[in-house]
Amino acid sequence: MTTILMLLTVIAIAGSGLMAGLFFVFSVSVMNALAQMPAQEGMKAMQLINRTILNPLFLSAFFGTALACLLLAAISAWQRPPDFGWAIAGACLYLLGGFMVTAFFNVPLNNSLDKLSADDPASHAEWTRYLAIWTRWNHLRAAACILACVLLAIGLP
C-alpha cells in the first residue's frame, strides 16, 4: 500500500504544481496584460484562451490531479500511514481550492463571458467586472494549489 500512496502523492504533487504554475501565471501576468488591452481585444483573447485550454492535456492534468488527490485522501484516511494528515490536508486543499473553485466560480464566469459579443460595446462593462471577479478567484486557486503542493510534499510516505 505504501507504493500506491507514494505514487498517488507524487502524481498529486506534480499535478498541483502544474496547476499552481498555470494559475500563478494568469494571476501575475496574463490577466494584467488582458486588462491593458482595449476591451474588445481583451475579451476576444480571453474567450479564445478559455476555449483553447479545454484540451486533452490540460483536462488530464486537472481532472487526473483531482482523482489522485481523492484517492490519496481516502486511502490515507483508511490506512493512516505516518504523517497522513499532511497528505490529506494537501489533497483536500487541491480539491477545494483548485478543483472546486474552478468548477463553481471560474468556469461559470468563463461560460458567461463566452456568450458575450466582444464587438458589442455594452459587453465591455461585463468584461471589466469579469476581470476583477475571475482574477480574485484565480488568486485563491493559485495560492491553494501552491500550498497543496507543499503539504503533499511534507506528507510523502
Side-chain angles (χ1 to χ4, degrees):
M1 191 56 73
T2 303
T3 304
I4 292 171
L5 282 176
M6 176 70 81
L7 179 61
L8 288 171
T9 305
V10 168
I11 292 169
I13 291 168
S16 62
L18 284 170
M19 293 299 102
L22 175 71
F23 299 149
F24 178 79
V25 166
F26 269 84
S27 282
V28 302
S29 63
V30 174
M31 298 311 287
N32 290 331
L34 294 175
Q36 292 177 38
M37 298 170 74
Q40 179 182 13
E41 293 175 26
M43 283 180 71
K44 282 183 182 180
M46 189 64 180
Q47 288 169 331
L48 287 172
I49 289 168
N50 289 337
R51 291 179 198 133
T52 304
I53 201 164
L54 297 176
N55 64 67
L57 191 56
F58 168 77
L59 294 171
S60 295
F62 182 67
F63 286 107
T65 303
L67 179 59
C69 286
L70 189 62
L71 292 171
L72 177 61
I75 294 169
S76 292
W78 178 50
Q79 292 289 317
R80 297 186 175 266
D83 296 326
F84 74 98
W86 295 107
I88 291 174
C92 289
L93 194 52
Y94 176 82
L95 288 168
L96 295 173
F99 188 83
M100 299 300 271
V101 166
T102 300
F104 289 108
F105 298 102
N106 294 88
V107 168
L109 287 165
N110 292 345
N111 292 340
S112 294
L113 181 70
D114 195 53
K115 293 175 185 171
L116 298 176
S117 170
D119 297 323
D120 181 1
S123 298
H124 298 173
E126 187 60 29
W127 168 242
T128 301
R129 181 184 161 285
Y130 170 93
L131 278 168
I133 296 169
W134 191 97
T135 303
R136 270 190 299 246
W137 285 114
N138 191 68
H139 292 333
L140 178 62
R141 294 190 301 180
C145 289
I146 291 166
L147 186 54
C149 197
V150 170
L151 294 173
L152 287 161
I154 294 170
L156 272 167

